Amino acid sequence: MTSPRLLVGGALLLSGVAVLAIGFGSVAIAPGDVVSILARQLFGVGEAAQGAGATSIVMELRLPRILAAILVGAALAVAGGAFQSLLRNPLADPYVLGTSSGAALGAAIAILLPIGGVAWELGGVQLAAFIGALASVGLVWRVAGIGSGEERIASVLLVGYAVASLLAAALSLVMLASGANLRAIFSFLLGGLDGATWPRLAAAALPLIAATTLLALRGRALAGFLLGDEAAQHLGVDVRRERRIAVALASLATAAAVALAGLVGFVGLVVPHLVRLAVGPDPRAVLPLSAIGGALLLLLADTIARSIAVPVGVITALIGAPFLLWLLHRARTGYAL
Amino acid sequence: MQIDPSYELIGARNVRVEIGGKLILDEINLKIGVGERVAIVGANGAGKTSLLRALSGTLPVASGEVILCTEPLGGLSRATIARSIAVVGADLVLPFATRADELVALGRLPHGRGPSGPTPHDRERAAAALERVGASHLAARDVRTLSAGEKQLIAIALGLAQETPILALDEPTVHLDLKHRVEIADLLVSLADRARTVVAIFHEIDMVRQLFPRVILMKLGRIVADGSPDSVLTAARIADAWGIPQERAARL
């Protein structure tokens, strides 16, 4: 099957799963009712046959959360796939440049600050996480010299690891000093979409959607990187420029995703590999399909997380880690990543 | 074959390249026309790969000027360069499982725009390139599982899929056994024609004598001889370029 058909099929599947997920919960709403509520509220089509309660549950509680899961899952999978192509490393994920540690440290500091109240509601923690994520990427970018034309892939990975370790140590210190707030920090670390309200979604939506979409459309440049920097140049890719653009977009998408959902692991690592199994390694196919796949995986994981009241990061790790082990096992027995 | 001597496919005028203050290439002057078949030879470290990189714009020149298809290379975009010269590198290392035909289709990158994948035309050109090197039977194989000789064929097909007037190769026969060396050498001879100039770095002096009408000999970053194999590959020059006794060089 060609990738445009897979894209259309995937988008339809995602829409269907989204309708089912909106209806799913302690108050179950039939898919038909979900569709008519959405049609009336979003497009003004049809008449009010459902109660105000159901409408409020769909529009105020579930829709923002489902949209957040879709956007965050898509962003993480596209960013992960882009980093894997750019760094030519199957184990790269969206957090490879220290984004996760930076975000966690930013969030932890914000949780400890006596801001509370209004700032909390408006997403002070999310903003701090966003800034922390971008700051760590900025540090890695500076130290590893990304875009200078002289950076080495191994050194980018090592600098990312070093910066992440440093920030993780700082995070541990903050957690030790956090006392009663430890639980709030912990829940950020585990990842979850409980806090995905309309205002927070609206704040994160622009960088999430813009960076993910632009990155998913840059597969042509990233395709050249599959053979290495020198070969990419011979295939007409402006390596320095494209690397800067891809790292900036992937980091922005990841930072916005982390700010909204905390540290959700494995989506960005596993989904691009699944897509490659289906369509091969060309990022022009891998990135758009990863957006759909990441959205689907996080939506499903979050629906499970909601029903058993466990953070979604735990669910994605429970699904993702065995899958990764299976991939590695296959790598040893024939098919290589 | 009629070659228009005024059409300068590749040119270098007083090209000098430095890396970190160290002189890599100096006083490089050359002119290569349409349909020529040129071997670049010299000892390790003589600057052969650097010369190819300078001529294809991946190594910036400190002074002098490189000409590609009659235009100064400095003013050309990477995509324009990639539509003029295809460079077949020393080895193919891939991070993910990749079918040979998918890989060869990447040669079409400089001919397209936008986010969409290979067009039917691109796939057709990739298949034709695979067929040209006699590797159609490898199309569905994971490149990472191929032998060194098979990989080299795929790498050349990738270069052919770029459909450039110049095909440059960096040691296309290295690590290959005699059978594959002969195959690749014969392929290179058959590829050079009015539409395509072949420039290759080669180590096997005997093959160079047989296959390349023109030889460029390099030593310490300079071109020390440029001409027919008989005029360039004399015992005295070989002895000097590789640092071996002249009586030994006479037997090569």
Side-chain angles (χ1 to χ4, degrees), chain A residues 42-314:
Chain A
L42 300 178
F43 307 107
V45 181
E47 52 213 63
Q50 292 77 27
T55 301
S56 157
I57 288 172
V58 167
M59 295 308 296
E60 298 306 318
L61 296 178
R62 294 193 187 153
L63 187 57
R65 180 165 182 156
I66 266 85
L67 286 178
I70 288 171
L71 293 180
V72 168
L76 292 177
V78 172
F83 275 127
Q84 286 164 3
S85 295
L86 193 65
L87 300 171
R88 311 185 71 224
N89 191 319
L91 288 177
D93 75 357
Y95 308 131
V96 71
L97 300 186
T99 335
S100 52
S101 305
L105 183 60
I109 291 172
I111 288 169
L112 288 193
L113 288 179
I115 39 173
V118 178
W120 184 277
E121 272 307 308
L122 289 177
V125 174
Q126 282 72 19
L127 182 63
F130 185 68
I131 292 169
L134 290 184
S136 74
V137 172
L139 189 58
V140 174
W141 185 304
R142 286 288 306 233
V143 177
I146 290 172
S148 68
E150 284 156 27
E151 69 271 39
R152 297 258 174 273
I153 288 168
S155 77
V156 172
L157 291 168
L158 283 173
V159 170
Y161 182 75
V163 167
S165 303
L166 187 67
L167 296 174
L171 173 67
S172 300
L173 288 177
V174 172
M175 287 173 77
L176 281 175
S178 63
N181 290 311
L182 189 59
R183 194 180 168 77
I185 297 175
F186 208 58
S187 95
F188 181 86
L189 292 181
L190 290 173
L193 291 156
D194 299 322
T197 56
W198 279 119
R200 288 177 188 169
L201 182 60
L206 181 64
L208 259 183
I209 295 172
T212 305
T213 307
L214 290 175
L215 187 59
L217 295 177
R218 293 205 80 78
R220 176 173 294 277
L222 287 169
F225 282 96
L226 284 175
L227 285 158
D229 288 9
E230 181 90 13
Q233 292 192 39
H234 291 313
L235 291 172
V237 177
D238 185 339
V239 165
R240 288 169 61 176
R241 175 169 175 267
E242 292 300 334
R243 194 193 325 266
R244 282 188 201 142
I245 292 173
V247 170
L249 290 175
S251 302
L252 189 60
T254 307
V258 169
L260 193 57
L263 303 187
V264 177
F266 284 100
V267 175
L269 177 69
V270 164
V271 170
H273 284 308
L274 263 177
V275 174
R276 280 189 198 95
L277 284 175
V279 298
D282 192 324
R284 287 172 289 182
V286 171
L287 296 185
L289 286 170
S290 291
I292 304 272
L296 258 178
L297 177 59
L298 194 57
L299 183 55
L300 289 170
D302 185 55
T303 305
I304 298 172
R306 274 197 289 143
S307 67
I308 58 176
V310 163
V312 70
V314 176

Side-chain angles (χ1 to χ4, degrees), chain A residues 311-331:
Chain A
V312 70
V314 176
I315 304 292
T316 56
L318 278 176
I319 301 173
F323 180 74
L324 180 64
L325 290 174
W326 175 74
L327 274 183
L328 292 172
H329 175 70
R330 283 193 60 167

